[in-house]
Amino acid sequence: MAGRGGPGGSGRSPSQDETPLRRIPLALDDVEAELKADFGDSNSDVVMRRVDLWTAPEVHGLLFYIEGLVDRATINSVGLKPLMHGERCPAVDPIPARGDVLADILISHLVPSGQISAVDDFNKVIEKVLTGEAAIFIEGCPKAVVFEAKGWEHRGVDEPSTEKTLRGPREGFTEVLRVNTALVRRRLKTPHLRFDGTTVGVRSKTDMVVVYIKGITDPELVEQVKQRIACINVDIVGDSGIIEEFIEDRPDSPFPQLQYTERPDRFCAGLSEGLVGVLVDSSPFALMAPANLASFFQSAEDYYDRYPFAGPLRALRYVAGALALVFPALYVGVATYHQEMLPTSLALAIAGSHLPVPFPTLVEALLMELALELIRESAVRMPDPVGQTMGFVGALLLGDAAVAAGLVSPIMVIVVAVTGLASFTIPHYSVGLAVRLLRFGLLLLAAGMGLFGLAAGVVVIVLHLSALTSLGVPYLQPMLHSQDIFKDILWRSPMFTHRYRPSFARPVDRIRQGRSSREWASQRQPEDWGRDGGGDGESR
Amino acid sequence: MAAAMASRGDRNHIKNAQFAVLTAQTVFSTGFLAVGGLFATISESGAWLGTLLGALGGLAVAGLCSLVVQMHPGKNLSGIADAVLPKAISKLVSLSYAAYCVWLLAAGTRQFILAIWIPFLQTASPLTLAILVAAVTLYGANLGIEAIARASIVFFPVVVLSILVLAGLSVPVAAPGRLLPAVGVGVPELLRTSLLASSFGAECIVMMAFVAHTNEPEGVGRAVAWGVLVGMVMMAAVVAIDTVVLGSRAVTRVIFPVLEVAKLVGFGEFLERSEVLLLSVWFCAALLKQATVFHASARSIADTLGLKNPKLALVPLGASLVVASLYPTTVVAVLEWVRAFLRYTIWYALGLPLTLLVASMLRRPERAHQGEGRSR
């Protein structure tokens, strides 16, 4: 099949590779019996349609497909019509009524399908039919003609729900692999774009492709991804998230080590920077590797907005990330141990607001954080409008009621609200989750040993991040390169200054754009000085 | 194949810039707390100059280490000792080096525990603090020198910035005339101060445990020298700030003068007292220094005992660090301990690379002779 080159059948379990060839019976009755033995009698979606081919004398055939996985129109026009109402074909006229040659004639002359092949292994035929293809068995023929007929119901291309932007494309990946590959191809019209396909999952047999641009992506990186995928021996792959866990370097780390995205534009941008992508059938989330901490603070919109705004917004996200991680712990540490740091009026205000609260600051903070997590988690599980309402109402009511009941101080509500808002600015949900989890640890440390406990916790987190790798590439690498840090890490500089691709993925071709992208600006004549405003249209 | 699948980066290899930062952090990050008081007792207003001159001792150690490393590329301290010394002496060298590192660890941890506990966390137990420090140190050491080096790149610039901020905030309350006379009470005292101060610079010898872990072996000597220079200049700057703000007499009366200085300055109305914040920042760098030294000592002990996995030495070493960092119990005794450390360790730090250098030079003709014999 086209587009199924891949790493040599990688992704199959050893037991599958060793399965001996299962020959196709010559008698259609035997074929039907074997199919019934495999699928059972009661499967209503398994269709075995007997047909008589229009040869003279007639030859019996059996069209086999799974209802719901195929497109009915395709079955009728590509499968049934040529078999039952065949037209005269001068090249092979008269068509011999022999099953053994009919398969080749069907492929070469009669069945109008772009993806069609003759398969002699019964198991392979079943495997293909289960992925949405249709098979024609012919009486007396040791091969089956298998043709593409995929056509199941699926969600259309829609706006990504997890990576919304104000500016930029609104298309998101869907659950259909081929739709997703087309979305990528449409953006990267280069013959060097590669989709190396394979299947994973002993029972789900999920199609997936490793995507990269030959000549840009480090071949060693591609090979590493393929090898890790080839090692996966699992029953069912329901989403790319499952693949992620199998191929990341440190599954025990709270930080994600692979980027995921619903946006084809972001995916293509990653590929053009030398990353390797993975698209999994039935998942709208594409994976990209290697990842680093900075990549989780970048949003697609950063590149669509003008840089004077994109840069500060990027920096704000880092500040918000830091706030989301340490703010409650900082408050608890200062309020419990280091009140002398604060101006007297603020210290008195904090002490006064805490006076009616019967709990220590730590318990107060834990209660509010827990409430926030409950609201957030329940809002995610609700339908969209209900979820939003529940979030607002829950936060307002709970905060107000807790203060009125004297369970928490108003300042603590502010602290938790600011923390919650800050955590929403992190563009990637999985990093937000890590931050939420680690926040509790830091809270406990700050409650135990003030700012020194907090400092120790932060050191542990930074040490952990320093040791973390994504496909062997250090997680903090681009953030430690001083020359890149204000180019596209903490800040986003103008696009025309991004001459080189980021080095962390070790792209083969480092040059991303020529020097001449804004050559016209340097060619301005001295007499143009002071006429940036356009000269009141005099040039017209 | 499996190795390629697991990793494609240079794990456990660091760049020379990281090496320089690690060295500066090792030299600076714990000693600076009490150094003003210790040196002002000897040479009063000349303490800062004495500290600066102490960099020369550190640079001498760095130079000797560099010469040794150049003669044995790709080898750490234990490897070099094994190559040039008889086995028993080589083991003794590794063991003495481990003892030096443990002393350094215990002294640094004890100082920081006191600096945190006495003014800020009297409600917490010093044992809890010691356990916290040991746990973080052990975690860092377990992750390896590459992770520590990367984390140091994150924190050390913040420490440098904090010293600059401290200097900036000190300006309104500073009296620069207090730095004069620059030689203090006399040249002999100044030289004594610089000799003691050079013990801090000599802490760069810790890096001998990691010289084989650099990506650019040819520039290791320069990186260590830069680290010593930066660390000692920062330390001299801290002593100078202590002196201009408190005066050389007042500096001698407090245990941790830099904290007293931090108490006198603030960030205006928003943060009235900044010393906790500054000490927290310094604490981060100190933890990373401790992790570096801990890693060096664990490596050395593992080499001495012939352990294939240096991580086996981590847990017992961590436990002994907790115990060692709880003693001595009085501040005066701790300062005496630090003084003793300063008095002797410079000689050890000079003697160790010198011994290895001499042994290497003596072994070289012997090896050349053996080589000739073989070629025949």
Side-chain angles (χ1 to χ4, degrees):
Chain A
M1 238 173 82
R4 294 271 180 112
S10 56
R12 291 155 200 276
S13 68
S15 57
Q16 276 178 302
D17 290 338
E18 288 157 16
T19 308
L21 177 78
R22 186 177 166 195
R23 293 195 183 285
I24 295 171
L26 295 176
L28 276 188
D29 289 340
D30 295 342
V31 170
E32 202 169 336
E34 285 207 27
L35 287 175
K36 280 184 178 165
D38 283 351
F39 286 91
D41 280 334
S42 56
N43 270 328
S44 56
D45 62 335
V46 178
V47 179
M48 286 176 252
R49 167 86 158 81
R50 287 270 193 166
V51 288
D52 290 331
L53 272 64
W54 49 272
T55 52
E58 284 176 339
V59 174
H60 300 300
L62 175 75
L63 183 63
F64 169 53
Y65 60 90
I66 309 285
E67 184 77 44
L69 292 185
V70 296
D71 177 31
R72 276 190 187 162
T74 310
I75 289 290
N76 292 340
S77 61
V78 178
L80 290 174
K81 198 174 169 192
L83 294 182
M84 299 171 81
H85 302 285
E87 291 165 8
R88 290 183 63 80
C89 185
V92 281
D93 200 16
I95 290 179
R98 279 171 45 213
D100 55 339
V101 293
L102 260 174
D104 292 332
I105 293 171
L106 283 177
I107 290 172
S108 59
H109 290 89
L110 297 172
V111 179
S113 174
Q115 293 193 359
I116 185 165
S117 57
V119 180
D120 59 355
D121 186 344
F122 200 78
N123 284 331
K124 285 258 165 60
V125 174
I126 291 174
E127 203 174 289
K128 281 172 180 282
V129 168
L130 284 172
T131 62
E133 296 184 34
I136 303 166
F137 293 98
I138 302 157
E139 184 82 46
C141 180
K143 294 176 190 168
V145 175
V146 180
F147 62 93
E148 175 75 36
K150 286 186 180 109
W152 50 76
E153 290 302 317
H154 61 84
R155 192 168 60 94
V157 175
D158 205 354
E159 188 173 0
S161 56
T162 57
E163 291 172 275
K164 288 196 169 146
T165 57
L166 290 176
R167 194 169 171 183
R170 308 275 163 159
E171 283 180 333
F173 284 128
T174 73
E175 284 76 7
V176 185
L177 181 65
R178 286 298 157 216
V179 173
N180 294 345
T181 55
L183 286 170
V184 176
R185 275 256 185 243
R186 205 155 61 76
R187 284 171 172 79
L188 291 171
K189 298 179 185 77
T190 163
H192 300 300
L193 179 65
R194 295 283 186 273
F195 291 104
D196 288 353
T198 184
T199 56
V200 180
V202 176
R203 290 190 205 287
S204 65
K205 297 205 187 334
T206 309
D207 285 324
M208 58 186 289
V209 285
V210 176
V211 195
Y212 58 96
I213 301 176
K214 198 177 175 201
I216 293 181
T217 310
D218 180 7
E220 196 190 323
L221 203 64
V222 177
E223 202 46 44
Q224 208 178 122
V225 172
K226 285 182 181 176
Q227 282 169 3
R228 289 189 187 191
I229 289 172
C231 290
I232 300 173
N233 189 355
V234 67
D235 213 17
I236 289 169
V237 174
D239 185 79
S240 57
I242 293 173
I243 301 289
E244 183 182 357
E245 226 169 283
F246 279 100
I247 64 175
E248 65 189 352
D249 292 17
R250 289 273 305 271
D252 55 337
S253 170
F255 291 92
Q257 292 135 65
L258 272 82
Q259 301 180 53
Y260 66 83
T261 181
E262 271 189 284
R263 300 185 64 94
D265 54 328
R266 194 169 128 80
F267 187 72
C268 292
L271 294 180
S272 74
E273 288 184 349
L275 304 189
V276 181
V278 176
L279 291 170
V280 180
D281 193 35
S282 73
S283 172
F285 291 97
L287 299 175
M288 284 191 288
N292 56 68
L293 187 64
S295 57
F296 294 104
F297 283 86
Q298 293 169 353
S299 156
E301 207 167 17
D302 288 354
Y303 302 94
Y304 304 139
D305 271 334
R306 293 181 58 245
Y307 84 91
F309 313 113
L313 282 175
R314 172 85 60 85
L316 178 73
R317 246 175 259 140
Y318 282 102
V319 174
L323 266 182
L325 183 66
V326 302
F327 195 41
L330 196 65
Y331 173 75
V332 168
V334 170
T336 313
Y337 293 99
H338 314 298
Q339 301 90 340
E340 74 276 7
M341 277 178 74
L342 303 170
T344 315
S345 53
L346 181 58
L348 286 173
I350 291 175
S353 72
H354 189 70
L355 216 55
V357 180
F359 309 117
T361 319
L362 171 69
V363 177
E364 202 188 342
L366 284 176
L367 276 176
M368 277 311 287
E369 282 290 339
L370 200 66
L372 183 75
E373 292 305 323
L374 285 175
I375 292 170
R376 206 187 318 222
E377 198 56 25
S378 56
V380 168
R381 310 280 157 233
M382 296 282 171
D384 265 359
V386 182
Q388 281 175 9
T389 317
M390 182 146 174
F392 282 120
V393 173
L396 283 173
L397 281 183
L398 214 64
D400 197 41
V403 171
L407 291 175
V408 291
S409 60
I411 290 185
M412 181 56 81
V413 175
I414 296 171
V415 168
V416 172
V418 169
T419 310
L421 281 177
S423 66
F424 282 124
T425 61
I426 301 172
H428 287 263
Y429 185 68
S430 48
V431 172
L433 281 178
V435 166
R436 280 157 66 183
L437 186 71
L438 294 171
R439 189 158 64 218
F440 284 95
L442 292 182
L443 253 177
L444 294 176
L445 279 169
M449 270 164 280
L451 291 193
F452 305 104
L454 175 60
V458 171
V459 169
V460 167
I461 292 171
V462 174
L463 275 169
H464 174 73
L465 290 172
S466 302
L468 206 58
T469 55
S470 170
L471 289 183
V473 176
Y475 205 59
L476 288 186
Q477 195 189 47
M479 301 182 97
L480 302 179
H481 282 219
S482 52
Q483 67 269 31
D484 291 341
I485 204 154
F486 291 109
K487 189 144 267 185
D488 198 18
I489 305 293
L490 294 182
W491 198 264
R492 205 274 276 167
S493 60
M495 291 306 292
F496 52 83
T497 61
H498 296 194
R499 181 162 151 70
Y500 298 102
R501 295 189 169 88
S503 58
F504 76 96
R506 298 180 195 169
V508 177
D509 177 10
R510 277 219 66 202
I511 295 174
R512 170 153 52 186
Q513 56 178 285
R515 288 184 192 279
S516 56
S517 295
R518 273 181 66 88
E519 207 171 39
W520 56 269
S522 61
Q523 284 172 353
R524 281 186 182 174
Q525 298 302 314
E527 57 266 26
D528 291 339
W529 185 78
R531 291 168 65 180
D532 279 351
D536 289 332
E538 60 192 272
S539 60
R540 281 179 232 147
Chain B
M1 180 73 85
M5 283 168 70
S7 162
R8 59 198 284 276
D10 291 326
R11 296 281 289 162
N12 281 320
H13 276 73
I14 52 180
K15 291 181 176 175
N16 278 347
Q18 292 174 328
F19 215 78
V21 169
L22 270 180
T23 311
Q25 187 172 260
T26 305
V27 166
F28 175 77
S29 292
T30 49
F32 77 102
L33 280 177
V35 72
L38 289 174
F39 295 162
T41 319
I42 304 166
S43 57
E44 296 187 2
S45 61
W48 67 276
L49 188 59
T51 312
L52 198 60
L53 290 174
L56 295 174
L59 288 174
V61 175
L64 285 172
C65 291
S66 173
L67 287 174
V68 175
V69 169
Q70 277 169 17
M71 293 174 89
H72 304 277
K75 281 185 181 159
N76 287 327
L77 178 90
S78 304
I80 297 170
D82 281 345
V84 297
L85 295 171
K87 200 174 178 185
I89 299 177
S90 159
K91 294 283 177 205
L92 199 66
V93 164
S94 292
L95 205 61
S96 70
Y97 179 75
Y100 169 84
C101 289
V102 171
W103 194 1
L104 198 59
L105 271 173
T109 309
R110 187 67 187 148
Q111 268 192 83
F112 248 94
I113 287 176
L114 288 179
I116 292 170
W117 183 56
I118 296 173
F120 304 111
L121 277 183
Q122 293 232 338
T123 49
S125 133
L127 177 65
T128 320
L129 273 170
I131 290 172
L132 177 78
V133 172
V136 178
T137 302
L138 205 138
Y139 178 69
N142 183 46
L143 291 178
I145 193 65
E146 195 190 30
I148 301 170
R150 285 202 200 109
S152 302
I153 292 279
V154 175
F155 285 107
F156 194 65
V158 185
V159 171
V160 175
L161 189 71
S162 72
I163 299 295
L164 290 174
V165 167
L166 185 69
L169 294 174
S170 304
V171 170
V173 288
R178 287 169 175 165
L179 291 177
L180 298 173
V183 289
V185 289
V187 174
E189 284 76 11
L190 186 73
L191 291 177
R192 218 177 113 214
T193 303
S194 63
L195 191 65
L196 290 180
S198 60
S199 287
F200 288 119
E203 287 180 22
C204 68
I205 201 171
V206 170
M207 305 312 289
M208 282 285 278
F210 313 118
V211 281
H213 290 75
T214 172
N215 282 336
E216 304 138 321
E218 64 282 357
V220 170
R222 207 178 315 129
V224 174
W226 268 110
V228 170
L229 209 58
V230 170
M232 290 307 288
V233 166
M234 284 173 68
M235 198 174 276
V238 167
V239 176
I241 295 168
D242 294 349
T243 311
V244 293
V245 174
L246 301 173
S248 51
R249 286 281 163 82
V251 167
T252 59
R253 290 191 206 111
V254 290
I255 311 161
F256 302 116
V258 69
L259 287 184
E260 297 302 319
V261 171
K263 271 183 198 168
L264 293 176
V265 299
F267 292 93
E269 288 187 4
F270 180 64
L271 278 178
E272 287 199 341
R273 299 264 294 269
S274 58
E275 72 271 21
V276 188
L277 207 59
L278 291 172
L279 190 60
S280 307
V281 170
W282 299 333
F283 183 51
C284 295
L287 286 171
L288 292 174
K289 173 199 172 162
Q290 298 299 81
T292 310
V293 181
F294 197 93
H295 191 58
S297 52
R299 226 165 228 291
S300 213
I301 288 172
D303 288 340
T304 311
L305 300 177
L307 302 175
K308 280 184 183 165
N309 183 3
K311 289 184 178 178
L312 291 174
L314 288 178
V315 176
L317 197 60
S320 48
L321 172 63
V322 172
V323 176
S325 58
L326 294 174
Y327 298 96
T329 48
T330 64
V331 175
V332 177
V334 169
L335 292 181
E336 269 312 309
W337 200 32
V338 174
R339 274 195 197 99
F341 175 82
L342 294 179
R343 213 169 289 142
Y344 301 114
T345 52
I346 177 65
W347 305 115
Y348 176 77
L350 282 169
L352 180 64
L354 199 63
T355 308
L356 294 174
L357 187 67
V358 171
S360 304
M361 289 166 92
L362 289 174
R363 286 293 294 261
R364 187 179 266 182
E366 196 181 310
R367 243 186 260 156
H369 184 70
Q370 282 172 357
E372 274 174 36
R374 269 200 295 274
S375 66
R376 276 176 220 148

